[in-house]
Amino acid sequence: MSFTVIMPARLASTRLPNKPLADIEGLPMIVRVAQRAAQSRASRVVVASDAPEVLHACAAHGIEAVLTRADHVSGSDRLAEACELLGLDGQELVVNVQGDEPLIEPAMIDACAELLRQRPECVMSTVAHGLDDTPEGQAEFANPNVVKVVTDKNGLALYFSRAHIPFWRDGQATGATRARPGSALRHVGLYGYLAGFLRRFPQLEVSPLEQIESLEQLRVLWHGERIAVHLSAERPGPGVDTPEDLERVRAVFRAQAAK
């Protein structure tokens, strides 16, 4: 299996400015993510950024990077431009790894790419894991910042939402928002694409559902395309959205270095 990992990275972040360059035990975060991605079976790992500072940091550590436009409204648009800049064939597999996932599991990247290779009827693949029936799992289910997904019997996405789906009618007796045990899936923001579809995506009409939920993947479903979902038995490592997240990830790397 051959595929390319592309990591979109922009400096602008309201909650954590200059996030890709944040230091994690001596290396910029974007370099840490690229190093993890390089442990997958990807034939190529490329950072796509609109910031020369990010490209310089990548070059200093032997990471391939391309400079993209600064006016992209979404990460998918940036990926589409990167496919053009890299001259990727339309049937080539691309995995989008977020630049703020320094603990991403290489095996999860491989699984996302392999699933799309096995499902020629799909233009995309992604990953989800089950939410357990614990206070933490129930809190995630109710949290609108945690995206949920429901699938059909063949593992194809039916819908993504920030709402608590599927809605457990008989679990509402206490007035609390609860997931039925074994039914709720948390979406992981890892995507596989065909390069040709990525180039086409920015030209697709924006979906009203996408605008309501602020979830780009709903544009794909709205236009009748299919997304295959890999169900992971493992939770992904924590991503970095806030200064508190960054400190937690730094602590993980310090603990690993101390072993």
Side-chain angles (χ1 to χ4, degrees), residues 91-163:
Q91 290 301 306
E92 187 156 351
L93 298 182
V94 174
V95 177
N96 172 16
V97 175
Q98 301 299 326
D100 56 6
E101 298 280 350
L103 295 173
I104 186 73
E105 285 295 334
M108 191 175 286
I109 298 173
D110 291 338
C112 189
E114 176 62 20
L115 178 61
L116 185 56
R117 188 188 69 81
Q118 293 177 356
R119 303 297 295 265
E121 76 275 25
C122 298
V123 296
M124 282 179 61
S125 59
T126 191
V127 178
H129 69 84
L131 289 174
D132 52 31
D133 190 26
T134 62
E136 179 186 13
Q138 295 294 343
E140 288 181 305
F141 182 65
N143 186 346
N145 293 317
V146 174
V147 177
K148 277 71 67 174
V149 59
V150 290
T151 69
D152 67 12
K153 67 177 183 178
N154 297 313
L156 301 180
L158 290 171
Y159 193 66
F160 298 84
S161 183
R162 299 182 184 279

Side-chain angles (χ1 to χ4, degrees), residues 7-19:
M7 299 165 41
R10 62 188 184 94
L11 286 183
S13 174
T14 55
R15 289 184 288 181
L16 188 59
N18 298 324
K19 183 164 61 171

Side-chain angles (χ1 to χ4, degrees), residues 36-82:
R36 294 284 286 193
Q39 295 174 36
S40 73
R41 289 186 284 163
S43 56
R44 195 175 185 183
V45 175
V46 185
V47 172
S49 179
D50 60 354
E53 301 96 318
V54 172
L55 267 67
H56 293 157
C58 291
H61 295 91
I63 306 297
E64 184 179 2
V66 293
L67 184 66
T68 56
R69 302 199 318 268
D71 60 350
H72 289 306
V73 296
S74 71
S76 298
D77 293 327
R78 195 176 309 284
L79 287 170
E81 185 189 0

Side-chain angles (χ1 to χ4, degrees), residues 33 80 141 164:
V33 182
F141 182 65
H164 40 279

